Amino acid sequence: MLNSLWLGFFVIAALAALAQWLVGGNAQIFAEMVQALFAMAKLSVEVMVLLFGTLTLWLGFLRIAEKAGLIDLVARLLAPLFARLMPEVPRGHPALGLMTMNFAANALGLDNAATPIGLKAMRALQEINPRPLEASNAQILFLVLNASSLTLLPVSIFMYRLQQGAPDPTLVFLPILLATSASTLAGLLSVVVVQRLPLFSPVVLAYLLPVALGLAAFMAFLATLSAAALAQLSALLGNLILFGLVVLFVVVGAWRKVAVYESFIEGAKEGFDVAKNLLPYLVAMLCAVGVFRASGALEYALSAIRWAVQWLGLDGRFVDALPTALVKPFSGSAARAMLIETMQSHGVDSFAALAAATIQGSTETTFYVLAVYFGAVGIQRARHAVPCALLAELAGVVAAIVVCYRFFG
């Protein structure tokens, strides 16, 4: 799938460039494409420098949290909920702790670091799967929640915005929080309906109802604020929670007699190993996207969509953020490349770039997660995993666009 997507970028770009040359008489188009190719290769390395630091930093702190028992504490707190939503998983099974760590990494926006943990969790669930070639209910719920990717602190998005010169990288904190909540809720409810899980049992309601009511009250409060006040609140909460988590991990680790420095270094080494493997993928996708835009192919497609949106009488500013949304189900690296390219083309704090960043943080990469997680354990029949995950992704994209008009419109 990634092979076809990457090849398609170059083939369509070549056809669009030929049309510009032969029909439009633009003989400079090939020079512009070559220039974009090398410019994006350079940009890939610049992005990777900051990405190395981000992953190394946060995996170091996550290791402190793990050794301090915070991850186990969260797993124990969630155990009654897991027992209702995943009744086939025995209490105390290793998969529960691994899933909790995976959700924690996703919540911190460490999607690349979450994948290795998620694979361990999927293998643990496969050990208790009575039909190894068919996804179990627990595996489907885990995959859909992973694909919806509840992101409470999207540090990787902040990093990309910082690298592109954003005065306040955390400006998109609240929009992403609301959009990712919508995608996760849609994914959870779709699986609950299909698997006929006891959503209205007292235990499940005790967990989900306070969260839903709290989110509703928070959204009602946000509705009373102006766009400027929303932006200020988003930046304040983003930075406050970011630093608050750092202090919490370190203080609790020290209180639990954890060697916090050594634990940080141990986790940071893992972050370095994760980050160094991303450069080839980032170069490949950024260069393909750069050539695709330089050829004019992307603008042709967006112009057609923009015309249809305007014909319907709608505001078309969100169209420039759609490239990230359109490739997100297939490739996280391509979506990341589209996001960075949108920031460069329109400005890091433009409506298009802010909407693209919110879309990027709202969900994971459905088909990539499906292929990697199920492929790693040899599952051939995904059952209802794909439609539930795609519904969650659609909900996240729609919510991201709506929220951005409220915050930045």
Side-chain angles (χ1 to χ4, degrees), residues 117 219 248 340 350 370:
I117 305 172
M219 292 178 68
L248 175 66
I340 295 171
S350 64
L370 183 77

Side-chain angles (χ1 to χ4, degrees), residues 170-382:
T170 62
L171 190 62
V172 292
F173 167 68
L174 282 181
I176 290 178
L177 177 62
L178 296 175
T180 191
S181 298
S183 68
T184 300
L185 181 61
L188 175 62
L189 291 178
S190 65
V191 175
V192 163
V193 170
V194 174
Q195 297 183 2
R196 299 180 182 178
L197 295 172
L199 181 63
F200 296 104
S201 75
V203 173
V204 175
L205 289 177
Y207 277 91
L208 300 185
L209 200 56
V211 175
L213 292 176
L215 186 60
F218 186 52
M219 292 178 68
F221 166 69
L222 295 179
T224 65
L225 302 179
S226 65
L230 284 172
Q232 292 177 355
L233 180 62
S234 180
L236 173 63
L237 288 179
N239 289 309
L240 184 63
I241 294 176
L242 190 68
F243 188 70
L245 276 176
V246 171
V247 174
L248 175 66
F249 291 168
V250 173
V251 170
V252 173
W255 180 58
R256 293 286 183 89
K257 309 299 183 185
V258 173
V260 290
Y261 177 76
E262 288 80 359
S263 298
F264 178 88
I265 296 299
E266 181 183 333
K269 288 179 179 179
E270 182 182 345
F272 185 85
D273 290 336
V274 171
K276 71 180 183 181
N277 294 322
L278 296 177
L279 182 57
Y281 301 98
L282 191 60
V283 171
M285 282 301 176
L286 266 178
C287 289
V289 168
V291 169
F292 188 67
R293 178 178 282 278
S295 71
L298 180 60
E299 188 55 40
Y300 291 151
L302 294 181
S303 295
I305 297 175
R306 193 177 291 110
W307 177 86
V309 169
Q310 292 174 349
W311 183 77
L312 293 172
L314 303 175
D315 188 315
R317 286 180 298 161
F318 74 92
V319 174
D320 289 318
L322 285 184
T324 299
L326 294 176
V327 301
K328 189 72 191 287
F330 305 98
S331 169
S333 55
R336 190 183 304 118
M338 286 292 188
L339 168 62
I340 295 171
E341 204 280 334
T342 301
M343 289 179 182
Q344 287 215 320
S345 300
H346 298 275
V348 68
D349 278 339
S350 64
F351 182 85
L354 292 169
T358 306
I359 291 170
Q360 176 74 1
S362 65
T363 60
E364 247 298 338
T365 311
T366 297
F367 290 110
Y368 171 79
V369 170
L370 183 77
V372 171
Y373 280 45
F374 282 176
V377 294
I379 288 176
Q380 298 177 8
R381 291 187 290 275

